[in-house]
């Protein structure tokens, strides 16, 4: 009985790892954003929450009450929703993604959690539909390697930041298109 359980566990773990790395290779070849069909595996998996926990991420970013924050490339909104609880009712979180399926997912989650301080934005990163100097922080979590117009996107991120605001970029080692820290420093 124990042997069968162990075999099932090892098989399941192997299948998950294989699917993850298969998706990683496919996305690297396509240089495309995470497909919504794979969000359960790549963005919302319990495994990802172990190493990219939204609570710890918000602690690191230093999100505070009444802040205005842009989660650029928000995916399914895990970080945006955690930020919404941190900024409180007088703060604002802008959840931006270029994929309608991702924004629709965020909108459903926002509605189910009654997060009235989250605004969803469907737009590419190089055309952020916000005025200049309007956010305290721009978060780019597991986004930059997927962006085709990286310089324009970073210029837009800096444009919407208030003076003294924080531009926070981070990558997941297990992300399909991981960028090493040295590469990230060059881009920023």
């Amino acid at each position: 009985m124990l042997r069968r359980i162990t075999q099932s566990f090892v098989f399941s773990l192997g299948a998950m790892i294989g699917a993850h790395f298969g998706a990683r290779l496919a996305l690297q070849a396509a240089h495309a954003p995470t497909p919504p069909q794979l969000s359960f595996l790549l963005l919302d998996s319990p495994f990802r929450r172990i190493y990219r926990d939204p609570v710890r991420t918000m602690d690191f970013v230093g999100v505070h009450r009444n802040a205005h924050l842009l989660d650029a490339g928000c995916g399914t909104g895990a970080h945006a929703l955690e930020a919404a609880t941190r900024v409180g009712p007088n703060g604002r979180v802008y959840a931006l993604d270029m994929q309608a399926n991702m924004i629709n997912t965020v909108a459903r989650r926002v509605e189910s959690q009654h997060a009235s301080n989250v605004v969803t934005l469907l737009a590419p990163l190089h055309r952020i539909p916000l005025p200049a100097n309007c956010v305290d922080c721009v978060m780019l979590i597991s986004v930059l390697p997927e962006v085709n117009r990286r310089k324009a996107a970073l210029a837009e991120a800096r444009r919407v930041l208030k003076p003294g605001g924080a531009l926070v970029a981070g990558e997941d080692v297990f992300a399909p298109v991981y960028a090493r820290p040295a590469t990230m420093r060059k881009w920023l």
Side-chain angles (χ1 to χ4, degrees):
M1 178 68 168
L2 181 60
R3 182 182 176 131
R4 185 166 299 277
I5 291 171
T6 302
Q7 287 174 335
S8 295
F9 175 76
V10 169
F11 176 79
S12 297
L13 183 61
M16 283 179 23
I17 291 170
H20 178 84
F21 283 103
R24 180 179 222 167
L25 290 173
L27 289 175
Q28 279 180 338
H31 195 70
T34 301
Q37 301 85 344
L38 295 179
S39 64
F40 74 95
L41 178 65
L42 302 173
L43 300 177
D44 291 328
S45 73
F47 177 65
R48 184 177 193 237
R49 289 192 178 265
I50 291 170
Y51 68 87
R52 181 63 76 190
D53 177 42
V55 172
R56 286 194 312 246
T57 302
M58 293 306 112
D59 289 342
F60 175 78
V61 172
V63 176
H64 56 85
R65 291 196 80 63
N66 304 324
H68 288 203
L69 178 136
L70 171 62
D71 185 359
C74 64
T76 57
H79 292 95
L81 289 167
E82 177 59 31
T85 62
R86 301 282 179 109
V87 301
N90 295 324
R92 178 82 60 225
V93 175
Y94 299 98
L96 179 133
D97 206 286
M98 65 181 282
Q99 298 182 80
N101 289 344
M102 294 293 193
I103 289 299
N104 292 339
T105 299
V106 175
R108 283 192 302 275
R109 292 173 104 177
V110 162
E111 186 176 326
S112 71
Q113 295 184 21
H114 308 289
S116 60
N117 59 349
V118 177
V119 176
T120 56
L121 302 169
L122 177 62
L125 275 170
H126 63 275
R127 278 194 237 125
I128 299 172
L130 292 173
N133 305 318
C134 69
V135 295
D136 301 294
C137 178
V138 175
M139 288 191 325
L140 298 154
I141 307 295
S142 295
V143 173
L144 285 177
E146 298 176 359
V147 174
N148 288 325
R149 298 179 64 185
R150 201 170 292 118
K151 283 186 180 184
L154 287 168
E156 272 292 275
R158 288 183 180 99
R159 180 187 67 79
V160 300
L161 267 178
K162 292 178 183 176
L167 176 63
V168 179
E171 286 302 309
D172 295 345
V173 173
F174 300 104
V177 285
Y178 172 71
R180 295 183 343 209
T183 303
M184 293 289 289
R185 282 190 294 276
K186 286 180 190 174
W187 291 343
L188 297 172

